[in-house]
Amino acid sequence: MEIEFGSVAIACGMIISLGALGACIGISLMGGKYLEASARQPELMNELQVKMFILAGLIDAAFIIGTGISVWFAISTFLK
């Protein structure tokens, strides 16, 4: 079975780019909602900030995991 390296490169690029796009959209929406909530209730700003940073880490973790899987997929394909 012959492996097409071009399609593997395109798939890896799509995994990384779509993951980055999703992470950017998710963090921007979350940041906007944080600003709205802190403007409405400034006394909750510290509690909301902690939760926002935890969620930002989780959103970025999904992108980093996708990048790791893509790199693993590319390396395992090119070493065959």
Side-chain angles (χ1 to χ4, degrees):
M1 183 171 130
E2 189 173 320
I3 299 172
E4 294 185 26
F5 296 115
S7 60
V8 172
I10 290 173
C12 292
M14 287 181 63
I15 290 171
I16 293 173
S17 64
L18 292 176
L21 180 68
C24 290
I25 290 172
I27 288 178
S28 66
L29 289 175
M30 181 188 58
K33 296 296 181 180
Y34 166 72
L35 290 175
E36 289 177 10
S38 62
R40 289 184 187 199
Q41 295 181 340
E43 66 273 4
L44 294 177
M45 189 179 302
N46 291 333
E47 295 175 22
L48 292 173
Q49 187 176 19
V50 171
K51 292 177 183 177
M52 184 192 73
F53 282 125
I54 290 171
L55 286 174
L58 291 173
I59 291 170
D60 279 341
F63 165 65
I64 291 170
I65 290 169
T67 303
I69 290 172
S70 177
V71 169
W72 173 63
F73 182 60
I75 289 172
S76 68
T77 302
F78 291 125
L79 290 179
K80 288 185 179 181

